[in-house]
Amino acid sequence: MKTFLICFALLCAFPTLAFGAFLSVIPETPVQGDMVMVILKGTDIPSIKSLTFAGKKVGMFLYQSEPTVLIPVDLGARAGKYQLIATLFGGQTLQKTVTVIPRPQRTALLGIPDKLGGNTKVAQTNLVTILARENAVLSKIKATLPPWWGSPFLFPLGQPEVIDAYGYSRSTGSYLISHKGTDFRADAGTPVLAVNNGVVGLVREFTIYGKTVGIDHGGGVASLSMHLSQINVTEGQKVTRGQTIGLSGDSGYALGPHLHLSIRIGGISIDPMTFFSLFGTHLF
């Protein structure tokens, strides 16, 4: 009778402590610059003591009624095996090995437009200096943990066409600059859409990134739309999925009109196309 009462008390304390709990990891072999989506199946957030990736704690949120984690893999992350470990109250441990694969290396020449000084050594040095300063501002954009969204993410344009992919290096004189976003074809004045619900966390005109809108979507996710010709939102404004946040253009370091979209998770820029593929309709 005493043993029964102890077992009953444990079940009350940990109502979903199920020995069938497991980690669903998509993908288990990400490329540098990708993201990993982790779902803890068969349990709930109160039953989870901790979740670590490569020895560091990561935050989780409830999504589609299941504990969910989005883990960014930095473009410069070391290739190799990383351990994902979830510890449940009561002592149960769930573990997965995530193997990061090297991203193919590619370099392309990119000149500096006359409006930024042209292809001179002075302009190259100024470009890198200003870029570091602007990246420091972007790194402060908040991305809250509870998600604002419950629907698939939309592409930022009605007819998305990639003209420049994420992850390669742009050779600008003696400097190599990583392209941490996706460039979409867009004539000047094309409506740019909010990829999902969120709160506008940044409205700024930069020297390099041009007119920029940053949106906190929750779940640790933030989107950045750059080189706009016009901005239609203000900081602190709530936006809805598909809402026009601005118009495309060629402001900043741009050789012609287009839209540069960056997706950040936990402050790390990941491949937007991988993000869209993981958050397509097949997951909802």
Side-chain angles (χ1 to χ4, degrees):
M1 183 65 174
K2 185 177 180 180
T3 301
F4 171 79
L5 290 174
I6 293 174
C7 291
F8 180 75
L10 286 172
L11 287 172
C12 291
F14 311 108
T16 59
L17 181 57
F19 293 101
F22 66 95
L23 294 170
S24 171
V25 180
I26 308 170
E28 293 186 16
T29 54
V31 175
Q32 291 165 325
D34 281 356
M35 60 157 280
V36 177
M37 182 178 183
V38 181
I39 303 172
L40 288 87
K41 299 282 189 178
T43 187
D44 60 8
I45 289 179
S47 300
I48 302 167
K49 184 177 182 180
S50 66
L51 180 67
T52 62
F53 179 73
K56 296 181 180 180
K57 284 189 175 182
V58 292
M60 67 193 79
F61 54 90
L62 194 64
Y63 183 67
Q64 300 288 301
S65 301
E66 294 178 306
T68 302
V69 179
L70 303 181
I71 299 174
V73 178
D74 193 271
L75 182 61
R78 174 185 58 82
K81 297 182 183 299
Y82 293 82
Q83 295 303 310
L84 177 68
I85 302 173
T87 302
L88 307 186
F89 287 104
Q92 187 179 4
T93 299
L94 310 175
Q95 187 167 339
K96 280 274 191 180
T97 298
V98 176
T99 303
V100 175
I101 300 172
R103 181 175 289 270
Q105 298 295 309
R106 185 171 70 88
T107 302
L109 295 174
L110 186 69
I112 300 176
D114 291 340
K115 63 182 177 180
L116 294 178
N119 295 309
T120 66
K121 289 187 177 181
V122 172
Q124 293 167 19
T125 301
N126 287 340
L127 176 72
V128 173
T129 301
I130 295 170
L131 190 62
R133 188 161 61 238
E134 293 184 359
N135 282 334
V137 175
L138 296 180
S139 68
K140 295 177 181 178
I141 296 176
K142 293 181 179 179
T144 52
L145 192 57
W148 290 90
W149 35 273
S151 302
F153 278 72
L154 291 172
F155 281 106
L157 299 166
Q159 295 180 321
E161 179 186 347
V162 176
I163 57 174
D164 230 348
Y166 167 97
Y168 74 97
S169 296
R170 289 173 163 176
S171 178
T172 304
S174 56
Y175 297 96
L176 288 177
I177 302 172
S178 297
H179 188 234
K180 293 187 175 182
T182 297
D183 289 348
F184 293 93
R185 186 180 304 282
D187 294 334
T190 303
V192 176
L193 313 177
V195 295
N196 219 318
N197 300 342
V199 177
V200 178
L202 175 78
V203 169
R204 184 78 64 89
E205 182 166 8
F206 294 104
T207 300
I208 306 301
Y209 294 124
K211 289 183 173 69
T212 298
V213 173
I215 300 175
D216 169 17
H217 299 287
V221 179
S223 66
L224 293 163
S225 299
M226 299 174 170
H227 305 303
L228 304 176
S229 62
Q230 178 178 306
I231 294 174
N232 293 5
V233 292
T234 58
E235 289 188 9
Q237 178 180 340
K238 290 183 180 180
V239 294
T240 57
R241 176 177 177 265
Q243 178 178 337
T244 297
I245 60 173
L247 304 178
S248 61
D250 61 355
S251 59
Y253 185 10
L255 301 181
H258 70 284
L259 172 67
H260 173 104
L261 178 74
S262 288
I263 297 290
R264 291 188 171 211
I265 297 176
I268 295 175
S269 292
I270 55 100
D271 189 340
M273 299 308 288
T274 298
F275 180 82
F276 284 120
S277 69
L278 286 175
F279 280 84
T281 55
H282 64 287
L283 288 179
F284 294 84

